[in-house]
């Protein structure tokens, strides 16, 4: 359930809550990005709906495993620059950079090169950077909640609202799928349609 909205005006009518979760395994980095949008008032005429990226994570590059480009879907400069910063502060990394190929595409490319002859691969370096970034964010959040107790209450309320919105969205998707028309082609090339559940 991925969706996203960007606004180009100060009179916006939507609030977007991005939440990124990282599931890290020894050889894989799974990045799940969920963005929930809640309508607050009248829509702005300058509001633009962003496309959903066709992939969540794509590893690009051949050759030595110390050089790779990671295309991360449904992310932007926020994650790209944060990961780049953590990567360049890693002594095992020789080069780290990021780019957003086009502003209308929700994809960020992160290039990682570890030192030649190193036993650390680019994927290992990215995984370590993700773990470091998550722990840094947790430290900031814990400190903020300690200083301002209301933040903890607000965070719990937001988590509950997001859970309810997710349930509503799943129910809506289930209802939309029930009335869709399914097109089938028989062996002779004839097309037959039927109403019912979508596959």
């Amino acid at each position: 359930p991925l969706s996203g909205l960007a606004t180009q005006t100060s009179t916006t009518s939507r609030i977007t809550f991005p939440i990124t979760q990282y599931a890290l395994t020894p050889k894989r980095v799974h990045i799940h990005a969920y963005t929930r949008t809640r309508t607050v008032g009248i829509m702005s005429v300058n509001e633009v709906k962003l496309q959903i990226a066709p992939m969540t994570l794509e590893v690009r590059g051949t050759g030595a495993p110390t050089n790779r480009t990671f295309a991360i879907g449904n992310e932007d400069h926020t994650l790209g620059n944060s990961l780049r910063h953590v990567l360049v502060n890693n002594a095992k990394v020789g080069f780290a950079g990021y780019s957003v190929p086009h502003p209308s595409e929700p994809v960020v490319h992160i290039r990682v090169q570890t030192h030649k002859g190193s036993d650390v691969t680019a994927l290992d370096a990215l995984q370590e950077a993700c773990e470091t970034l998550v722990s840094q964010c947790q430290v900031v959040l814990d400190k903020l909640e300690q200083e301002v107790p209301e933040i903890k209450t607000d965070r719990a309320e937001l988590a509950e609202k997001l859970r309810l919105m997710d349930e509503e969205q799943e129910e809506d998707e289930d209802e939309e799928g029930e009335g869709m028309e399914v097109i089938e082609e028989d062996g002779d090339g004839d097309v037959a349609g039927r109403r019912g559940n979508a596959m």
Side-chain angles (χ1 to χ4, degrees):
L2 301 172
S3 66
L5 289 172
T7 56
Q8 299 176 346
T9 177
S10 60
T11 60
T12 181
S13 62
R14 292 187 182 259
I15 298 174
T16 303
F17 306 104
I19 298 172
T20 303
Q21 300 172 341
Y22 300 91
L24 302 167
T25 59
K27 293 295 177 187
R28 293 191 177 114
V29 179
H30 302 285
I31 300 176
H32 305 286
Y34 300 98
T35 305
R36 302 289 182 257
T37 305
R38 182 173 183 215
T39 303
V40 177
I42 301 170
M43 282 183 58
S44 168
V45 293
N46 292 330
E47 200 164 298
V48 178
K49 184 167 183 166
L50 294 178
Q51 300 175 6
I52 302 300
M55 82 306 214
T56 302
L57 176 67
E58 185 176 289
V59 181
R60 298 178 180 171
T62 58
T66 57
N67 299 327
R68 290 291 183 268
T69 299
F70 302 93
I72 303 174
N74 301 307
E75 294 294 347
D76 58 12
H77 294 281
T78 305
L79 182 65
N81 195 33
S82 300
L83 282 174
R84 181 207 55 83
H85 177 75
V86 173
L87 284 163
V88 297
N89 288 312
N90 185 341
K92 303 169 194 168
V93 175
F95 172 81
Y98 86 97
S99 67
V100 175
H102 195 276
S104 70
E105 296 176 8
V107 176
V108 63
H109 292 181
I110 299 174
R111 177 72 176 169
V112 181
Q113 294 178 359
T114 58
H115 295 291
K116 290 192 184 225
S118 173
D119 60 341
V120 177
T121 66
L123 182 61
D124 294 338
L126 180 66
Q127 180 176 350
E128 185 179 329
C130 288
E131 291 170 351
T132 301
L133 187 59
V134 167
S135 65
Q136 288 175 348
C137 290
Q138 191 61 48
V139 166
V140 171
L141 187 57
D142 291 345
K143 186 69 173 173
L144 185 62
E145 287 178 350
Q146 187 180 39
E147 296 296 322
V148 186
E150 299 85 38
I151 298 289
K152 193 170 191 173
T153 306
D154 290 346
R155 184 177 176 201
E157 289 174 4
L158 178 61
E160 179 62 20
K161 287 179 184 178
L162 290 174
R163 186 188 63 76
L164 292 173
M165 290 171 65
D166 192 32
E167 288 176 1
E168 289 175 10
Q169 186 175 5
E170 287 176 6
E171 289 173 6
D172 290 345
E173 288 173 357
D174 290 342
E175 290 173 6
E176 288 175 6
E178 290 178 5
M180 295 180 69
E181 184 174 352
V182 178
I183 307 281
E184 295 179 345
E185 186 175 311
D186 62 14
D188 300 328
D190 295 331
V191 176
R194 75 174 202 275
R195 305 231 9 123
N197 291 338
M199 290 186 220

